[in-house]
Amino acid sequence: MKKLINKPADFARETIEGILAAHGDELKVLDGSWHRVVRADAKQAGKVAIATGGGSGHLPLFLGYVGKGLADGVTVGNVFASPSAEDMYEVDKAIHAGAGVLHLFGNYGGDVMNFGMAKDLCEMDGIEVTEVLGTDDVASAPKGEEAKRRGVAGLLFAYKTAGAAAEQMMPLQEVTRIAQKTCDNTRTMGIALTPCIVPEAGKATFSIGDAEMEIGMGIHGEPGIERTDLKPMDEVVDVMLGKIFSDMDFGRKVAVLVNGLGATPLEELYIAYRRIYEVLGKKGISIHRRYIGEYAGSLEMAGMSISLLNLDDELTKLMDAPCCSPFFEQTH
């Protein structure tokens, strides 16, 4: 294992300490615990609070989307491990501003269980909590079983729309509806070229040949749906888009996310976008917004994912709203 770290056991904590040292004007911890991170600005009374969370190792997911017009707090676990229900509960209480809390996170067993327990604790305190799970990964369950799918990079879209809805002082049920509508209209497909190494494990999460790629690989190294010889980028994009389009009918306008998993050069992501732009153009689908870069990583895994959000007028306005966090800013 070659990593620029100190002790493997300190990796997640020291990451958060570095982020807080750099962005202490925007983020702060609760009770001295690096597992509990919230916005540093004052709460707005009557605004719906949005809480997210998950394991470390995915920057800028999940922590990176805490900020104005996005989420209000995040619970951070160790690498690829769910944070505790107690930490989630403390974040919920801290960000609650009188209008309830939306739990918005990816569909992973430990997170589902712990956020569910935190929800129960909040409701015992009289805090209303709703829940929306990201389930955008088309490779992780067949069509018709969307509720079993993993949440991956497409969560960005839900943070964006739900965060805008909350910023506009919509009530909890409306913010929840917007988040669910966004997740229902988002599809993601990924590929991996190399594994990553969890610092405390000290070895690769899986093995793959030098001339191979895995279609549908998860962001923790979960098996995909097919392992093939490495193909030219245009062919790779065509396969990924084919899986997405076979899963859902898209209208005339979308948002596109081309996401690098940690070790894919930006140049390669733009080569992918070039092909996406060409394919969507031939289908008569306009790209209203495009995001190209690292938005949901998997340590040093080489690979990428493509996410499409089917846009209507309501979601378009919310995607266009300004937002700001240390890792993600949109001014217009």
Side-chain angles (χ1 to χ4, degrees), residues 71-218:
D72 298 282
V74 61
T75 317
V76 182
N78 287 312
V79 177
F80 295 178
S82 177
S84 73
E86 180 184 359
D87 286 325
M88 293 171 176
Y89 170 56
E90 293 299 330
V91 168
D92 286 343
K93 289 192 298 180
I95 65 177
H96 181 237
V101 178
L102 167 64
H103 284 171
L104 180 56
F105 59 99
N107 188 22
Y108 296 94
D111 295 331
V112 172
M113 179 180 69
N114 290 334
F115 269 112
M117 288 191 287
K119 180 178 186 290
D120 291 341
L121 291 170
C122 283
E123 290 176 346
M124 290 172 63
D125 288 343
I127 300 173
E128 185 179 3
V129 177
T130 58
E131 180 179 276
V132 173
L133 274 62
T135 54
D136 52 305
D137 184 2
V138 299
S140 53
K143 187 173 181 178
E145 298 182 20
E146 287 82 1
K148 295 181 180 179
R149 290 176 174 173
R150 302 180 291 245
V152 284
L155 267 172
L156 165 70
F157 296 142
Y159 291 137
K160 182 69 200 64
T161 58
E167 205 68 38
Q168 294 172 20
M169 304 302 285
M170 292 186 190
L172 180 61
Q173 296 308 317
E174 275 296 283
V175 175
T176 304
R177 180 187 67 80
I178 291 292
Q180 188 64 63
K181 178 180 177 180
T182 304
C183 290
D184 290 344
N185 280 278
T186 300
R187 295 291 187 274
T188 299
M189 189 70 193
I191 62 156
L193 305 184
T194 69
C196 61
I197 297 172
V198 176
E200 288 195 75
K203 61 182 180 180
T205 51
F206 61 93
S207 61
I208 187 169
D210 289 343
E212 291 182 318
M213 66 179 192
E214 183 140 359
I215 300 169
M217 174 69 68

Side-chain angles (χ1 to χ4, degrees), residues 16 20 27-41 43 51 72-76 86-96:
I16 302 304
L20 292 168
L27 300 171
K28 65 181 181 181
V29 297
L30 299 175
D31 307 319
S33 172
W34 63 266
H35 294 285
R36 309 167 184 177
V37 181
V38 299
R39 287 170 56 173
D41 56 340
K43 292 190 292 187
D72 298 282
V74 61
T75 317
V76 182
E86 180 184 359
D87 286 325
M88 293 171 176
Y89 170 56
E90 293 299 330
V91 168
D92 286 343
K93 289 192 298 180
I95 65 177
H96 181 237

